[in-house]
Amino acid sequence: MPRPARLALGCLPGLAAVAALALCANGVESAVTAAAAEDRRPVVRAAPHSAPRPDIRPRSVWATPEGTRRQPPPRYDDTVVAVFVHHTDSPNAYDCAQTPRIIRDLYAGQTGARDWDDIGYNFLVDRCGTVYEGRAGGVARAVTGAHTQGFNHRTAGIAAIGTFTAGADVPRVMTDAIAAVAAWKLGLSDTDPRSRVRLVSSNSGSRYAAGTRASLPALAGHSDGYMTSCPGAALAARLPEIRELAARLQGRSGDPRDGRSRRAGAAREPSPPSEAHADRRWGR
């Protein structure tokens, strides 16, 4: 190996040096470039209170080429510290085998009449407890959704397929699935589902003027952030038990005010986008 190559490798940390050795045939410059790219990759560490990732049906199950349109790349935030629970305000008496078609219809409505570039929800759960990937961008990533105007940043939207107004039956398998998704997503930032977090409103059309730092439940209903009856009185009444189950799935016990999860939403608050740049297609 030429002396310059040995000197270059001597400056690299262990794993990067291994990568560089494999590339020496192409020259030291390409090896160093590869090592620098490796250094820029985010380091993923397990959160102290994490939960298993539930089974999530991929977007490809419902987003057929003929039923979806070309769309721009997804947008991302740095983390997810809250989830908002919704209902889709659609019929409840469906066969779960019909769920992919139902999601396609929801997609068509949101990208058509509402002119959004994609379905707004990050996840959808049917009456049988099956979880589906909604908005494109990767289920494990902090994809900016279009589900709760003013609070789409650093949050995820989980939609229960159906209408859950007062008196409606909310299947236990559905609420269990919502809790499982929330526990997993919030666990990635070590956020207690029973805690409150601070989120910055990006749109005065929400319950809070743009720029307001609002204290909201980490596992919230749509109506906590926006003037709406969603997710319906029946599902909203189940949120306390959904929070408790999500906390147990994270291995938590005791008072949610104890521990670092209470601070998760307050840390590293980014500046919200201005209303002048709030794109209607993103439901901001």
Side-chain angles (χ1 to χ4, degrees):
M1 180 184 302
R3 185 171 181 272
R6 291 196 300 271
L7 290 174
L9 289 175
C11 297
L12 297 174
L15 289 178
V18 173
L21 282 169
L23 293 169
C24 277
N26 295 324
V28 174
E29 182 177 354
S30 61
V32 173
T33 300
E38 181 72 22
D39 289 341
R40 288 194 297 270
R41 292 180 186 175
V43 177
V44 179
R45 297 182 176 89
H49 294 94
S50 59
R53 171 175 164 167
D55 181 39
I56 301 170
R57 300 285 178 88
R59 182 180 168 92
S60 59
V61 170
W62 62 267
T64 58
E66 64 274 12
T68 55
R69 67 182 189 181
R70 187 183 180 92
Q71 59 193 56
R75 301 180 187 180
Y76 297 98
D77 289 301
D78 61 326
T79 189
V80 168
V81 297
V83 297
F84 283 95
V85 177
H86 304 255
H87 69 170
T88 57
D89 199 23
S90 53
N92 292 355
Y94 57 88
D95 188 306
C96 291
Q98 299 173 314
T99 300
R101 178 187 60 76
I102 293 170
I103 298 176
R104 279 195 300 275
D105 290 345
L106 292 168
Y107 170 93
Q110 293 182 356
T111 58
R114 296 186 182 183
D115 195 29
W116 294 355
D117 67 341
D118 195 1
I119 193 167
Y121 313 115
N122 299 97
F123 303 94
L124 299 99
V125 180
D126 70 13
R127 62 193 297 268
C128 295
T130 304
V131 181
Y132 290 82
E133 176 185 12
R135 198 168 187 83
V139 294
R141 300 189 66 182
V143 179
T144 306
H147 50 83
T148 306
Q149 183 167 291
F151 295 104
N152 288 311
H153 296 282
R154 311 187 95 207
T155 69
I158 304 173
I161 298 176
T163 301
F164 300 103
T165 50
D169 176 58
V170 186
R172 177 64 179 271
V173 290
M174 174 178 272
T175 57
D176 285 354
I178 292 171
V181 175
W184 171 62
K185 285 298 287 185
L186 293 176
L188 297 176
S189 61
D190 195 26
T191 301
D192 190 326
R194 305 164 299 175
S195 69
R196 297 184 73 86
V197 298
R198 290 199 176 277
L199 297 171
V200 182
S201 174
S202 64
N203 193 310
S204 293
S206 73
R207 285 193 179 276
Y208 302 86
T212 302
R213 283 169 167 74
S215 175
L216 297 172
L219 201 165
H222 187 184
S223 58
D224 286 307
Y226 185 72
M227 289 72 73
T228 178
S229 60
C230 178
L235 182 52
R238 303 286 295 276
L239 291 179
E241 66 184 72
I242 293 173
R243 293 183 186 110
E244 289 297 329
L245 175 56
R248 291 198 301 273
L249 291 172
Q250 289 184 348
R252 295 181 187 271
S253 60
D255 192 327
R257 293 173 296 181
D258 296 333
R260 62 188 293 270
S261 66
R262 189 185 181 194
R263 301 189 297 274
R268 306 183 314 280
E269 286 184 354
S271 298
S274 67
E275 285 189 284
H277 295 92
D279 187 341
R280 181 169 66 86
R281 291 174 300 172
W282 287 79
R284 289 182 174 182

